[in-house]
Amino acid sequence: MKQSYVSLYQIPYKKHILAIFLIIIFISSMVISFRLKAYSSFKTYGVFIDNHLYVDIPIDNSDAVNKGTYLKIDDYKYDFKIEEISDLQVEGSINYQTYSLKIMKEYQNNQVVEITFYYDKQRIIRKIIDIIF
């Protein structure tokens, strides 16, 4: 069969199924990305001393703690309260501050835990646009 522009119009319907399926998936993903919201996250480590959680946070990521909604330790969510923020400290070429946080659960003294801060809740499409531009 000779391929031409006219022959493209005469493609049987069964060959359009893939195109229709892809269009449905694209439209569904767009609708979902406009409806769902997601948090930005920042992972770090902290130490429990005298029922306070001490965390060293670089200045670039200080908004993750200051504007944080909640934090997660060992897959459990906790609300937190900032008790104290240290003065600016320098280690090598990195400026950081030590945050003293209060959470409802008590851990052992000098226990090191991995912490994930969740902040900046936005729609998924907004996050995609921010990454692109």
Side-chain angles (χ1 to χ4, degrees), residues 50-63:
D50 298 329
N51 296 328
H52 283 85
L53 177 61
Y54 291 94
V55 183
D56 292 334
I57 304 292
I59 296 300
D60 297 340
N61 298 322
S62 64
D63 285 344

Side-chain angles (χ1 to χ4, degrees), residues 6-122:
V6 176
S7 66
L8 292 175
Y9 279 124
Q10 299 171 352
I11 295 176
Y13 178 74
K14 66 181 179 180
K15 293 187 180 179
H16 289 294
I17 292 175
L18 179 63
I20 292 171
F21 184 70
L22 290 175
I23 290 171
I24 290 172
I25 289 176
F26 178 75
I27 291 172
S28 300
S29 64
M30 291 302 292
V31 168
I32 289 171
S33 67
F34 279 109
R35 302 277 299 161
L36 291 180
K37 292 183 178 183
Y39 285 99
S40 298
S41 64
F42 171 69
K43 279 190 174 186
T44 188
Y45 290 93
V47 177
F48 277 95
I49 300 173
D50 298 329
N51 296 328
H52 283 85
L53 177 61
Y54 291 94
V55 183
D56 292 334
I57 304 292
I59 296 300
D60 297 340
N61 298 322
S62 64
D63 285 344
V65 180
N66 292 331
K67 297 179 181 177
T69 307
Y70 65 92
L71 61 87
K72 193 182 270 191
I73 301 173
D74 298 331
D75 294 328
Y76 294 105
K77 293 180 183 180
Y78 299 106
D79 291 327
F80 65 94
K81 180 181 175 187
I82 299 173
E83 294 284 326
E84 184 180 348
I85 302 173
S86 72
D87 292 333
L88 190 63
Q89 301 171 11
V90 178
E91 184 177 312
S93 63
I94 298 174
N95 297 330
Y96 69 96
Q97 289 178 309
T98 301
Y99 286 78
S100 172
L101 306 175
K102 184 72 173 170
I103 63 171
M104 297 306 291
K105 183 163 181 175
E106 295 182 14
Y107 285 86
Q108 293 179 359
N109 208 18
N110 292 329
Q111 182 176 354
V112 177
V113 291
E114 183 179 22
I115 306 161
T116 306
F117 289 97
Y118 291 92
Y119 65 100
D120 194 24
K121 186 175 182 180
Q122 292 180 334

